[in-house]
Amino acid sequence: MTSRGAGTAFSRKNYRLSTEPEKSKVTGIVNSRLLNDYLHRVFTNADGNQPAAAYRKHLTFQNLQEHLERLLAEENGSEDSRDQVAEGRLGPSTVVLDHTSGFEGLLLVDDDLLGVIGHSNFGSIRATTCVYKGKWIYEVLISSQGLMQIGWCTLNCRFNQEEGVGDTPDSYAYDGNRVRKWNVTTTNYGKSWAAGDIVSCLIDLDEGTIAFCLNGMSLGTAFDNITRGAGMAYFPAISLSFKESVAFNFGSRPLRYPLGVGRGVEGYRPLQDPPVADLVKARKLLGYLKNVIHVGIDVTEGKLVEKDTSMWQLQGEPTVLITLAHIFNYFSPLMCKVYLVEDVLMTFLLSILERGGAVEAHPLIQQLLDLMWLLMEEYEVHECLKQLLMSLLRAYRFSPIIPDLGLQIHYLRLTIAVLKHEKSRKYLLSNVLFDVLRSVVFFYIKSPLRVEEAGLQELIPTTWWPNRFTKEGKESKEVKEESAEERLRRRAYERGCQRLKKRIEVVEGLQVQILKLLLNNKDRGGGEASRYIFLNKFRKFLQENASNRGNLTVLCPPEYMVCFLHRLIAALRFFWDGHKAKTPAALSSEEAYVPPQLFYNGKVDYFDLQRLGGLLSHLKKTLKDDLAAKANVLIDPAELQAVTMDDLDEDEESATSAAQSQRPSAALAIGGALARPGWLSSPTLGRANRFLSTAAVSLMNPRRPLGTLEKIKVRTLSVEQRTEEDIEGTHGNEGLLLGRPPEEPDQPITENSLLEVLDGIVMMYNLSVHQQLGKMVGVSDDVNEYAMALKDTEEKISRCPKRRRDIHEELLKSQKVFSEKLNHLSRRLAWINVTIYSKEKMQDIYWLLRVCIRTIEHGDRTGSLFAFMPEFYLSVAMNSYSALKNYFSPVNSMEELPGYDETLMRLAAILAKHFADSRIVGTDIRDSLMQALASYVCYPHSLRAVERIPEEQRISMMKNLLAPYEQRPWAQTNWILVRLWRGCGFGYRYTRLPHLLKTKPEDASLPSLQKPCPSTLLQRHMADLLRSDRDLAPSFLNSVLNQLNWAFSEFIGMIQEIQQAAERLERNFVDSRQLKVCATCFDLSVSLLRVLEMTVTLAPEIFLDWNRPSSELLLRRLAQLLNQVLNRVTAERNLFDRVVNLRLPGLESVDHYPILVAVTGILVRLLVDTDVQGVKKQEGGLAGDGAVMVQMAAERGQGALMPGKLVLAPGKGKVYEETDKDGDSE
């Protein structure tokens, strides 16, 4: 069937028709009478009735085509008239965005010219068609919920980067971000919109009104008495800010909220007329197809029978097959049109699943897909499937949230049914799901912004929020007994959350089913199994997101990544444990890890991601001998050639010129095609490859290349050429596990392909999931803030005098506002806790943490080859622990997770060993390790984990911490030592400085604001190291003294500049950055003094044992610095006093107390230890200048301590400190 719809004849010879009744019993080919009855039953008239047998024409396959054409031509006259240009509209019949002249600013436009992304401050664009008479409607699919103004404008409207639609006299707009309407001036209007909403824009030029609908609900008339008359015609138009995105539907697809009763849009027409004639024809043909499914032929009895449509099968009946071939001859070309696919085919397939039951209970869809592949041309099947998946994705993403999530479930079930068909699944995987569509959307569950419309009030009728927070935002120490009313509210709220959770779990289960189909590796019929196609596409997806982290229009939105990660983990563990059940020797998913050979054998591409040891090219050159000796891997000499910067530049320039030479001329005319997909653009999240710019004359290429055109060296993925054998391996070929090092156990782990999926999951978490987990905590923080505000308001109401009714009424209004806001937020928080922070999601992140720990441990055993491991494994280990500790509580506690203490200890061992690992060269990852260790020692539970690691590792960690401060990030090292000491030093038991106790901290959860939890075990290790290693102590202390001299000198220089600025007559503002640096230098000085105090206390002989050659020099240097500090800080009305009294914002931590108690602590320990040891004043005692300077410093410091004072008990070697009652010192 090379031509469709005309001139095709089906001969008797080809189809072996028979008129002999007895032959039908043998061959299954029916006689002419039964065939005539069958064809008349299938191909009914337009009214659905069959003419009487005496009056109807005898049908055979010879005249069926003529009969079918006559049926399809009925009513064509009336339909043709409807296809004519409608009155009141000017412009092309196909309405798109005007990418030639109707825009302002920088914009990215989709291939179909219906989706647009803002790429400048406030870009504007209008459509190609305008209206001047009648009632018209178009829809806008909101892809992001930011600043946009959507509506209508005239040709005379002139927009710029500050003024858009609604800001000029003859333009009108609705802004759901600010909930306002715009026409030069602005007033409140409508409701707030969210990503996934649909805005309907209506204009009535007969009455002169403009209105808007949100998800089919009318927002009321926005404007009336709009300008009409000669020369006045209105275009659909939009203005949107940077990164915001929408997609238009002018009528090229069925309107999501079409004209209907009760919606307030009666009589409105879409700007683009639907293909009415094709629509009628497609519906007729679908009716004939349904008749074929309903009517069966009983050959033995010679009669027609009704069949159960749900179990219909073709079963090789020639008569039925030829009948279907005639139908598909006309039906196939129609199924290439998006409107007909969405309105006819998708609606029919959905109706099949409406009967309920599992997807497997409806094999009819599989049979229909078989027919499509059999009776349609290949290009027609491809286009039809592509449009069907696009329609399903669009419908899923833009369906409103309803209490039972029925709409989302409906579309996911059909998606599963389509993907269950093997040939369709493989085509969609290879060409559509990751290339044309952004199928990750199928795994996303959007969060409702308006909880009322989502039905959360019915699901969760009772709201509740915790009241355990103090005014500082920290959890209250006092556990208040819950009242009976609060207990009832909490339990009702929890029951509502459980109801919501069960409904969301249904959607999540369907999403996991989709991934299980895509990860099927048993469907090898007709080519490569689905899993290996998925692996290649998944790797390219990761590459796009890893290589374009600065270009937000290219990246997959992080909220999609979070959902995708959890569903992929569920599917992966299903297959992993399934393989374990078949292969008992393999590891279970609870023991999963990525073997180290994946990082260096070249079977998995890590793009340009940094390795622990630096660039891959450098590692291949420096470690080629280790690779050959340990892993039996030989590097191709061609890969070892040095790549100079000139070579890189030439490669990049040639790649850029090659890409430009491949652009179509149409794209060049509008600024060039962008090579990467735009995630935020169309409702299918397809490719946005048209760049519009009014910044250049005649729409030339922009002078400044944007993010996607930045020079990035990206290697071509080798995975595209891989086969199943390359991944899984065969006899004598280990596939991905090639090059196993001797340290790696010779034991099966799982299927190799699952290892690559696991590796991709870890990379996904690093790319954007962790960032999104931290972002969504903001809702919980809002609940806490409003709860504290409500509690404070209720306390004020109880204290308000009865005579002040005015104040009482205002307080009641505030109470009502806070209560309503809390009701809204608590329901929204319930949704977020279920979809993002549930116990199951927490277990996924915990599982990922354990995977990373095991992977790092296995990699560490390989010695020098550990340098090949990508940095993101260490990052994910640190970040996933941080997420578990900070983001999932108090809903779920990390301490309840199985094996929590062991996991904490193993992570502590990794941090302790690798923060100073010479195999790790990246500055950023080394800093991250140091910061993670610094945070670890701030919390009692994690600090105890550090103390539980093997003693050898603890001592090695302390030795690395005591290395000289020069040539390394010493501030974090110093901070770790300070945290190990805090709580033991002189006046050093405070959590916050005494003079700051009455102020609210910015973030009470910061590590620096945790209660002191010193480690006497690690202090003992430090003391032993300083005593035993005579070279370590002087080098360490000299470096500390050097940094103290620098930090305090910098601090003094800065406060001099601040004081000079404050004394000038003219008004001066001190730069906030300068104040921050000044405060940082002060804090560093205090922390360095505390480390010196720690050293003096733990190992005083370093300064006082004159048998050590460096003692006198160290003591003299120490005394000099202490005198310098005291000189600057204790003198009356000095520079330090004046700056402190200015109370500048940013210098809150700069005060007498912290620095003086640190100095005093050092002096006291020196004096006390000297007295205790009975050292003489002259020979063998505190000798020379050092002794004199220490005594002078002590005398200078005595009595200078503020806000307390120092009391020395002569002859007893004891020191007492008196402080204000607000302090925590003893």
Side-chain angles (χ1 to χ4, degrees):
M1 289 174 282
T2 56
S3 62
R4 299 290 190 186
T8 306
F10 299 88
S11 67
R12 179 186 297 269
K13 179 180 179 181
N14 289 340
Y15 292 95
R16 299 177 59 222
L17 298 185
S18 174
T19 58
E20 301 176 16
E22 64 278 4
K23 185 175 283 191
S24 67
K25 297 179 182 179
V26 179
T27 64
I29 299 177
V30 300
N31 59 53
S32 59
R33 180 188 58 80
L34 189 56
L35 177 62
N36 176 62
D37 292 342
Y38 176 72
L39 294 179
H40 274 290
R41 177 77 70 87
V42 171
F43 298 100
T44 58
N45 294 329
D47 57 5
N49 298 320
Q50 299 180 48
Y55 296 99
R56 67 191 185 192
K57 180 179 178 180
H58 185 78
L59 289 180
T60 65
F61 285 131
Q62 280 74 23
N63 61 8
L64 177 58
Q65 181 176 340
E66 178 186 351
H67 177 69
L68 188 52
E69 288 179 351
R70 187 174 66 252
L71 288 176
L72 295 176
E74 290 177 2
E75 302 179 1
N76 263 358
S78 60
E79 300 299 345
D80 289 342
S81 64
R82 294 181 62 180
D83 281 339
Q84 295 176 0
V85 177
E87 185 182 3
R89 182 177 60 198
L90 293 174
S93 58
T94 300
V95 186
V96 294
L97 296 174
D98 188 352
H99 65 284
T100 58
S101 60
F103 66 91
E104 170 64 39
L106 302 178
L107 300 161
L108 287 169
V109 180
D110 279 354
D111 277 344
D112 59 7
L113 297 179
L114 293 174
V116 60
I117 308 174
H119 219 290
S120 59
N121 185 45
F122 206 48
S124 303
I125 192 169
R126 64 172 182 263
T128 54
T129 298
C130 62
V131 291
Y132 60 91
K133 181 182 179 181
K135 301 164 76 172
W136 304 92
I137 181 176
Y138 71 92
E139 289 181 343
V140 182
L141 287 66
I142 306 296
S143 299
S144 62
Q145 62 190 47
L147 180 60
M148 295 179 281
Q149 294 173 197
I150 302 171
W152 305 84
C153 74
T154 65
L155 192 62
N156 295 325
C157 293
R158 294 291 178 264
F159 304 129
N160 54 44
Q161 294 290 298
E162 301 297 331
E163 294 182 341
V165 180
D167 297 325
T168 58
D170 291 325
S171 63
Y172 306 86
Y174 161 50
D175 174 3
N177 177 261
R178 292 173 287 189
V179 196
R180 305 184 75 81
K181 59 181 180 180
W182 296 81
N183 175 234
V184 183
T185 60
T186 179
T187 54
N188 293 332
Y189 174 79
K191 298 178 180 179
S192 60
W193 60 37
D197 286 342
I198 296 180
V199 175
S200 303
C201 305
L202 300 85
I203 187 168
D204 184 347
L205 289 160
D206 299 329
E207 298 294 332
T209 61
I210 290 176
F212 298 91
C213 300
L214 187 62
N215 294 329
M217 303 302 295
S218 176
L219 301 178
T221 301
F223 306 100
D224 51 19
N225 296 323
I226 64 173
T227 307
R228 292 171 289 168
M232 294 301 296
Y234 288 89
F235 293 83
I238 184 173
S239 297
L240 63 174
S241 56
F242 182 64
K243 293 191 306 182
E244 305 306 333
S245 58
V246 298
F248 287 84
N249 181 12
F250 300 113
S252 59
R253 301 183 300 273
L255 294 180
R256 188 59 189 271
Y257 299 101
L259 317 186
V261 179
R263 298 188 186 274
V265 294
E266 293 85 348
Y268 287 85
R269 295 184 60 181
L271 267 77
Q272 180 173 325
D273 288 328
V276 179
D278 286 342
L279 198 56
V280 171
K281 190 183 297 184
R283 286 172 178 167
K284 282 184 180 181
L285 291 164
L286 180 62
Y288 304 150
L289 178 60
K290 290 179 181 178
N291 292 339
V292 172
I293 295 170
H294 281 85
V295 179
I297 303 174
D298 189 338
V299 179
T300 57
E301 298 293 331
K303 64 178 182 179
L304 305 180
V305 294
E306 294 291 331
K307 297 185 69 173
D308 180 7
T309 59
S310 62
M311 304 305 294
W312 181 84
Q313 290 185 351
L314 184 59
Q315 295 179 337
E317 298 177 12
T319 303
V320 177
L321 182 59
I322 297 169
T323 305
L324 288 169
H326 278 84
I327 294 173
F328 272 89
N329 192 50
Y330 296 91
F331 194 57
S332 300
L334 298 176
M335 289 301 99
C336 296
K337 300 179 180 180
V338 58
Y339 195 104
L340 302 178
V341 169
E342 189 166 327
D343 188 83
V344 179
L345 180 61
M346 189 174 83
T347 304
F348 170 55
L349 296 178
L350 287 170
S351 68
I352 296 174
L353 295 175
E354 282 178 351
R355 300 163 192 160
V359 175
E360 293 80 2
H362 303 282
L364 178 57
I365 294 178
Q366 306 298 305
Q367 294 291 319
L368 291 172
L369 289 169
D370 281 337
L371 281 177
M372 290 170 62
W373 283 100
L374 178 65
L375 300 174
M376 295 172 68
E377 298 287 356
E378 191 172 88
Y379 74 90
E380 293 172 336
V381 184
H382 292 173
E383 185 65 20
C384 180
L385 287 174
K386 184 183 81 171
Q387 296 297 345
L388 178 59
L389 261 290
M390 288 178 71
S391 297
L392 280 171
L393 188 67
R394 188 184 302 113
Y396 173 78
R397 188 185 184 205
F398 291 96
S399 293
I401 299 292
I402 57 177
D404 63 353
L405 298 170
L407 296 174
Q408 285 78 7
I409 291 172
H410 205 35
Y411 298 123
L412 287 175
R413 278 165 53 83
L414 180 52
T415 304
I416 291 171
V418 173
L419 292 176
K420 274 185 173 294
H421 189 264
E422 180 179 328
K423 194 170 184 180
S424 300
R425 175 173 69 249
K426 290 184 178 180
Y427 165 72
L428 291 169
L429 251 178
S430 299
N431 302 283
V432 177
L433 288 178
F434 284 89
D435 298 283
V436 178
L437 304 183
R438 285 300 171 240
S439 53
V440 176
V441 177
F442 276 126
F443 311 113
Y444 175 56
I445 302 179
K446 63 183 179 183
S447 176
L449 190 63
R450 299 173 300 277
V451 296
E452 298 81 5
E453 294 177 19
L456 292 186
Q457 286 181 325
E458 290 76 19
L459 272 178
I460 310 174
T462 305
T463 59
W464 172 85
W465 50 86
N467 286 312
R468 60 175 176 276
F469 293 93
T470 64
K471 292 183 179 180
E472 286 78 23
K474 299 182 71 172
E475 290 199 27
S476 176
K477 301 176 187 177
E478 303 175 7
V479 180
K480 297 182 180 178
E481 188 172 347
E482 199 175 35
S483 66
E485 181 184 357
E486 286 179 338
R487 190 180 306 111
L488 288 174
R489 283 183 58 204
R490 177 176 55 80
R491 290 176 178 174
Y493 178 75
E494 289 172 351
R495 286 194 297 271
C497 293
Q498 284 301 315
R499 288 192 292 270
L500 175 64
K501 183 178 181 181
K502 288 180 180 178
R503 298 185 181 190
I504 288 179
E505 283 176 346
V506 175
V507 177
E508 293 177 345
L510 293 172
Q511 293 170 332
V512 173
Q513 281 189 48
I514 293 176
L515 278 171
K516 288 179 181 177
L517 290 170
L518 301 183
L519 287 172
N520 184 355
N521 67 333
K522 306 301 181 186
D523 55 345
R524 296 183 176 88
E528 201 173 16
S530 297
R531 180 183 296 177
Y532 306 106
I533 305 173
F534 174 84
L535 278 179
N536 292 345
K537 300 298 181 181
F538 181 48
R539 210 70 193 175
K540 290 180 71 175
F541 165 80
L542 294 173
Q543 183 185 19
E544 283 183 352
N545 284 274
S547 303
N548 289 273
R549 301 189 73 174
N551 191 338
L552 298 177
T553 62
V554 173
L555 299 182
C556 171
E559 59 268 24
Y560 295 10
M561 278 281 208
V562 173
C563 296
F564 187 30
L565 176 109
H566 288 296
R567 309 303 175 268
L568 197 53
I569 287 176
L572 171 70
R573 297 191 68 176
F574 169 81
F575 284 107
W576 194 299
D577 290 329
H579 179 75
K580 165 69 176 175
K582 297 175 183 176
T583 313
L587 299 179
S588 70
S589 64
E590 284 295 335
E591 306 167 292
Y593 72 96
V594 179
Q597 54 264 48
L598 261 71
F599 307 136
Y600 57 73
N601 64 16
K603 296 287 186 178
V604 178
D605 198 326
Y606 290 97
F607 333 126
D608 286 342
L609 296 178
Q610 189 78 0
R611 309 298 182 103
L612 293 178
L615 293 176
L616 180 61
S617 57
H618 168 73
L619 292 175
K620 284 182 176 180
K621 285 187 288 186
T622 56
L623 298 177
K624 62 178 180 178
D625 295 335
D626 290 346
L627 282 173
K630 290 188 173 184
N632 200 24
V633 173
L634 298 178
I635 304 298
D636 184 352
E639 293 188 26
L640 299 179
Q641 295 178 358
V643 181
T644 64
M645 292 305 296
D646 292 337
D647 295 331
L648 284 175
D649 290 341
E650 289 173 5
D651 290 345
E652 290 165 349
E653 289 169 5
S654 62
T656 304
S657 61
Q660 290 176 349
S661 65
Q662 294 172 2
R663 293 170 179 164
S665 57
L668 284 173
I670 57 171
L674 296 179
R676 298 197 174 274
W679 262 95
L680 304 177
S681 53
S682 71
T684 56
L685 301 181
R687 296 184 179 274
N689 72 351
R690 294 177 184 262
F691 177 68
L692 310 186
S693 171
T694 52
V697 181
S698 302
L699 306 175
M700 296 299 288
N701 286 330
R703 287 167 292 181
R704 181 176 60 85
L706 298 176
T708 49
L709 300 180
E710 291 175 357
K711 293 185 177 181
I712 300 175
K713 180 71 171 161
V714 180
R715 185 161 64 90
T716 303
L717 280 178
S718 60
V719 291
E720 294 178 348
Q721 286 77 38
R722 294 187 309 174
T723 63
E724 179 182 347
E725 183 179 332
D726 295 326
I727 296 173
E728 300 291 1
T730 55
H731 300 292
N733 174 17
E734 294 184 279
L736 292 184
L737 298 182
L738 176 71
R740 182 176 61 85
E743 297 85 1
E744 185 67 10
D746 186 11
Q747 155 187 20
I749 302 174
T750 187
E751 296 170 281
N752 291 357
S753 52
L754 298 181
L755 293 174
E756 185 172 338
V757 176
L758 176 58
D759 177 76
I761 289 173
V762 178
M763 191 188 299
M764 277 175 59
Y765 186 91
N766 182 64
L767 291 175
S768 59
V769 172
H770 181 73
Q771 170 193 2
Q772 182 66 14
L773 289 177
K775 180 180 176 182
M776 297 308 293
V777 175
V779 178
S780 178
D781 294 339
D782 290 343
V783 170
N784 296 334
E785 288 184 11
Y786 278 101
M788 285 189 290
L790 179 62
K791 183 179 179 181
D792 186 51
T793 304
E794 289 172 346
E795 290 176 357
K796 290 179 180 177
I797 291 174
S798 64
R799 297 197 307 266
C800 181
K802 294 182 179 180
R803 64 179 183 276
R804 297 304 304 269
R805 287 189 175 182
D806 54 338
I807 297 178
H808 192 262
E809 289 176 0
E810 291 298 322
L811 289 173
L812 289 176
K813 290 180 182 177
S814 299
Q815 183 188 31
K816 182 181 178 182
V817 170
F818 291 144
S819 297
E820 290 176 351
K821 190 68 176 178
L822 275 169
N823 288 333
H824 170 87
L825 286 174
S826 64
R827 292 188 175 101
R828 186 157 179 248
L829 183 61
W831 183 283
I832 292 172
N833 284 339
V834 169
T835 55
I836 298 178
Y837 299 119
S838 68
K839 185 176 181 180
E840 292 75 16
K841 308 299 185 298
M842 185 180 193
Q843 289 170 344
D844 283 348
I845 304 301
Y846 182 60
W847 178 80
L848 200 59
L849 166 63
R850 290 163 67 93
V851 165
C852 290
I853 289 175
R854 283 189 289 269
T855 302
I856 295 167
E857 290 173 343
H858 279 262
D860 179 39
R861 296 175 196 146
T862 62
S864 59
L865 300 185
F866 180 59
F868 281 95
M869 179 178 287
E871 286 184 352
F872 65 76
Y873 273 89
L874 280 170
S875 299
V876 172
M878 294 181 285
N879 289 335
S880 56
Y881 167 71
S882 174
L884 291 167
K885 181 165 64 75
N886 298 319
Y887 301 157
F888 286 86
S889 61
V891 180
N892 298 291
S893 173
M894 185 180 176
E895 297 178 10
E896 299 173 0
L897 294 168
Y900 165 69
D901 289 332
E902 181 200 359
T903 301
L904 212 59
M905 185 190 71
R906 291 168 70 180
L907 180 59
I910 288 172
L911 297 177
K913 180 173 184 179
H914 297 300
F915 82 92
D917 192 337
S918 60
R919 295 171 294 181
I920 302 175
V921 301
T923 304
D924 292 340
I925 190 65
R926 289 174 71 93
D927 287 348
S928 297
L929 286 165
M930 185 72 77
Q931 291 169 12
L933 182 60
S935 175
Y936 226 69
V937 300
C938 290
Y939 299 88
H941 208 87
S942 52
L943 178 60
R944 301 302 165 241
V946 175
E947 294 178 340
R948 291 198 306 272
I949 66 177
E951 181 177 359
E952 182 182 350
Q953 292 185 21
R954 293 198 305 267
I955 294 174
S956 176
M957 177 190 76
M958 293 306 300
K959 189 169 184 179
N960 287 324
L961 289 173
L962 295 177
Y965 280 4
E966 286 80 11
Q967 306 300 323
R968 69 192 188 103
W970 59 269
Q972 287 291 348
T973 302
N974 198 77
W975 165 251
I976 294 172
L977 294 175
V978 167
R979 284 302 307 187
L980 298 177
W981 177 245
R982 192 168 191 170
C984 295
F986 183 84
Y988 204 39
R989 300 180 187 178
Y990 55 79
T991 302
R992 298 182 64 209
L993 290 170
H995 69 284
L996 296 178
L997 286 176
K998 295 180 181 179
T999 61
K1000 181 179 177 181
E1002 292 182 6
D1003 186 356
S1005 63
L1006 289 174
S1008 59
L1009 296 178
Q1010 303 309 305
K1011 289 183 178 180
C1013 52
S1015 172
T1016 53
L1017 176 62
L1018 297 178
Q1019 289 176 20
R1020 188 164 64 250
H1021 289 325
M1022 176 179 173
D1024 292 343
L1025 285 168
L1026 291 173
R1027 291 191 187 103
S1028 60
D1029 193 333
R1030 288 184 173 266
D1031 294 329
L1032 176 65
S1035 62
F1036 168 68
L1037 288 171
N1038 275 313
S1039 68
V1040 173
L1041 292 169
N1042 290 340
Q1043 300 301 338
L1044 174 60
N1045 184 44
W1046 169 84
F1048 191 72
S1049 299
E1050 287 291 315
F1051 167 70
I1052 294 300
M1054 288 183 182
I1055 63 173
Q1056 287 175 344
E1057 295 178 7
I1058 293 170
Q1059 174 65 20
Q1060 291 170 3
E1063 289 177 350
R1064 295 194 188 106
L1065 296 178
E1066 64 273 14
R1067 187 178 180 85
N1068 286 282
F1069 295 94
V1070 182
D1071 187 358
S1072 59
R1073 289 174 298 180
Q1074 185 180 5
L1075 294 174
K1076 186 175 181 180
V1077 173
C1078 179
T1080 301
C1081 288
F1082 179 79
D1083 294 339
L1084 286 175
S1085 301
V1086 173
S1087 65
L1088 288 162
L1089 286 167
R1090 286 299 183 183
V1091 170
L1092 289 170
E1093 180 194 19
M1094 180 183 185
T1095 308
V1096 168
T1097 306
L1098 296 176
E1101 58 269 30
I1102 295 173
F1103 292 94
L1104 303 177
D1105 183 0
W1106 305 116
N1107 294 321
R1108 290 175 173 262
S1110 58
S1111 293
E1112 184 174 358
L1113 178 61
L1114 288 173
L1115 183 62
R1116 182 180 292 110
R1117 289 199 64 193
L1118 175 63
Q1120 287 174 343
L1121 282 171
L1122 296 181
N1123 272 299
Q1124 179 185 351
V1125 171
L1126 292 173
N1127 279 331
R1128 294 289 188 176
V1129 175
T1130 60
E1132 294 184 9
R1133 299 180 183 178
N1134 64 357
L1135 175 65
F1136 186 85
D1137 273 337
R1138 290 196 295 272
V1139 171
V1140 168
N1141 291 332
L1142 289 175
R1143 300 298 177 191
L1144 295 174
L1147 293 184
E1148 292 86 357
S1149 63
V1150 178
D1151 194 73
H1152 295 83
Y1153 182 82
I1155 196 165
L1156 285 178
V1157 291
V1159 171
T1160 305
I1162 297 171
L1163 294 173
V1164 168
R1165 290 313 312 173
L1166 285 172
L1167 294 173
V1168 169
D1169 285 326
T1170 302
D1171 188 35
V1172 169
Q1173 293 177 20
V1175 183
K1176 296 179 181 179
K1177 294 286 181 177
Q1178 295 298 328
E1179 299 92 354
L1182 272 174
D1185 297 340
V1188 175
M1189 295 178 74
V1190 167
Q1191 290 175 358
M1192 288 176 59
E1195 292 169 1
R1196 187 181 300 278
Q1198 186 174 353
L1201 185 61
M1202 298 296 288
K1205 64 181 180 180
L1206 196 65
V1207 180
L1208 294 175
K1212 297 182 180 180
K1214 294 185 180 180
V1215 181
Y1216 303 92
E1217 181 191 354
E1218 298 178 357
T1219 62
D1220 293 342
K1221 61 182 179 180
D1222 291 334
D1224 293 333
S1225 301
E1226 296 178 0

